[in-house]
């Protein structure tokens, strides 16, 4: 598996990378889960910048500064709500990863940390979500040398095991 990809169990708000990815909602006005943690750690300026952006459709991404976070940037993306798997959820989740990496390259971002997008409040099953995440990141890195390091930041042992299983699959 690609040596530029790493997984760890931890808090994404503590990661010293160029950009962390936020699993936001379409309003971009904050919420619970990782969205809440990122806004708490970044401080009120983050919400002020998000307000000026005015929202983000599912599957797309928006860039803001990281303010009080160790990360310079936050890439906000809106994952799909799991509705049983027959409503384009897989493709929307895949586009969250692809669009986040494309936005990173556009801004010269070289190290990026992802949470397990949509696997919390939005209910996407962990194993298929990890499969999509690892597949999309790996495909992107195969065609783009500019991203130096992608870290999947897992918030539970269950998530870590799902990502580890995907990373250890034979090519
Ligand atoms: N660091 C890393 N991962 C985290 C953190 C953290 N500090 N906090 C939570 N997570 C993990 C969760 O355990 C889950 O695996 O992030 C993953 C995504 O879960 P959510 O944060 O619930 O995000 P999501 O499922 O995409 O739902 C998005 O939740 O918080 C609201 O405003 C957000 O409405 C949006 C919805």
């Amino acid at each position: 598996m690609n040596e530029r990809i790493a997984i760890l169990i931890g808090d994404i708000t503590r990661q010293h990378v160029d950009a962390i990815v936020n699993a936001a909602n379409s309003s971009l006005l904050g919420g619970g889960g990782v969205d809440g943690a990122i806004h708490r750690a970044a401080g009120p300026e983050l919400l002020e910048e998000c307000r000026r952006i005015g929202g983000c459709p599912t599957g797309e991404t928006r860039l803001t500064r990281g303010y009080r976070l160790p990360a310079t940037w936050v890439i906000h993306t809106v994952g799909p709500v799991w509705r049983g798997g027959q409503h384009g959820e897989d493709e929307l989740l895949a586009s969250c990863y692809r669009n986040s990496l494309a936005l990173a390259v556009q801004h010269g971002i070289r190290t990026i940390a992802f949470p397990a997008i949509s696997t919390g409040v939005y209910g996407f099953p962990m194993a298929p979500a990890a499969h999509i995440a690892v597949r999309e990141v790996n495909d992107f890195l195969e065609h783009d040398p500019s991203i130096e390091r992608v870290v999947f930041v897992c918030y539970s042992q269950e998530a870590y095991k799902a990502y580890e299983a995907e990373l250890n699959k034979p090519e």
Side-chain angles (χ1 to χ4, degrees):
M1 184 51 79
N2 199 310
E3 72 292 343
R4 290 183 283 163
I5 299 175
I7 45 175
L8 60 85
I9 295 183
D11 179 345
I12 200 165
T13 67
R14 320 271 305 155
Q15 301 307 311
H16 290 256
V17 289
D18 294 340
I20 61 171
V21 175
N22 181 23
N25 60 61
S26 56
S27 75
L28 291 189
L29 297 180
V34 71
D35 195 6
I38 288 173
H39 276 275
R40 273 194 301 280
E45 300 99 323
L46 177 61
L47 184 57
E48 283 162 27
E49 184 172 0
C50 287
R51 277 213 180 88
R52 291 195 292 272
I53 292 171
C56 178
T58 301
E60 292 191 23
T61 56
R62 297 292 186 271
L63 183 73
T64 69
R65 313 286 310 183
Y67 299 103
R68 299 176 196 171
L69 286 162
T72 307
W73 304 98
V74 179
I75 292 174
H76 303 263
T77 193
V78 181
V81 176
W82 181 255
R83 295 162 58 202
Q86 306 303 317
H87 299 80
E89 296 97 319
D90 285 9
E91 183 43 37
L92 282 167
L93 185 61
S95 58
C96 286
Y97 287 96
R98 280 199 301 271
N99 289 335
S100 295
L101 290 165
L103 189 60
V105 169
Q106 224 180 304
H107 292 271
I109 290 164
R110 309 179 75 77
T111 58
I112 180 170
F114 284 99
I117 301 165
S118 281
T119 63
V121 167
Y122 281 1
F124 208 113
M126 182 62 75
H131 173 73
I132 291 167
V134 171
R135 181 195 70 205
E136 290 304 322
V137 168
N138 201 47
D139 288 355
F140 191 96
L141 293 185
E142 273 176 9
H143 302 100
D144 187 299
S146 68
I147 297 280
E148 277 169 19
R149 180 169 156 77
V150 176
V151 186
F152 289 115
V153 182
C154 303
Y155 209 52
S156 67
Q157 191 68 30
E158 180 220 359
Y160 185 86
K161 285 191 181 329
Y163 278 87
E164 192 179 43
E166 288 301 323
L167 281 173
N168 294 333
K169 273 183 184 170
E171 297 282 329

